[in-house]
Amino acid sequence: QVQPVESGGGLVQAGGSLRLSCAASGRTSSRDAMGWFRQPPGKEREFVAAIRWTYGTTYYEDSVKGRFTISKDNAKNTVYLQMNSLKPEDTAVYYCAAASRGISAVEEAYDYWGQGTQVTVSS
């Protein structure tokens, strides 16, 4: 019913910028909140940012505050993650996920996950 699809990943130099997109279909009630997670090589998946479709409420992990911006286009059913001042430690597979209720920073709150898109930041 809800199948997030990420795009926009790639290779970028440290200090550069990259914008990820997440297209999500299905009822708004089934994707009340959209979140971005990432999994660095050899590490566990971690929360990055989240946003609510209805009110635009946002929440960020401390490590990306001031550098990353999550936004949405309701008409296009698309969520974006603008990443600025990228660091090598931002290198990871980035995943988009949909939650049926509320905004959350924990994986267990999300019902649907995308396939992931690779982001590599060179030093």
Side-chain angles (χ1 to χ4, degrees):
Q1 184 176 355
V2 178
Q3 186 172 327
V5 179
E6 308 95 332
S7 63
L11 176 65
V12 64
Q13 298 180 46
S17 299
L18 203 62
R19 188 176 77 160
L20 305 182
S21 298
C22 175
S25 61
R27 295 174 62 85
T28 303
S29 59
S30 297
R31 46 181 172 85
D32 183 61
M34 301 293 295
W36 285 99
F37 289 77
R38 67 185 182 185
Q39 186 169 25
K43 298 183 180 298
E44 297 79 18
R45 187 154 56 188
E46 62 187 19
F47 173 77
V48 177
I51 189 170
R52 289 193 69 185
W53 284 107
T54 305
Y55 301 106
T57 306
T58 59
Y59 180 73
Y60 298 91
E61 179 63 32
D62 288 342
S63 64
V64 305
K65 287 182 178 178
R67 298 191 299 121
F68 291 10
T69 301
I70 187 170
S71 61
K72 62 184 179 67
D73 187 329
N74 295 49
K76 296 181 179 180
N77 294 320
T78 301
V79 173
Y80 304 95
L81 183 67
Q82 179 66 47
M83 305 183 293
N84 299 324
S85 301
L86 283 164
K87 305 174 181 179
E89 50 263 44
D90 293 319
T91 295
V93 176
Y94 282 71
Y95 296 90
C96 180
S100 59
R101 292 184 295 276
I103 191 169
S104 178
V106 300
E107 294 184 35
E108 289 75 15
Y110 293 83
D111 306 299
Y112 306 96
W113 294 79
Q115 79 286 355
T117 185
Q118 178 70 48
V119 172
T120 302
V121 184
S122 61
S123 59

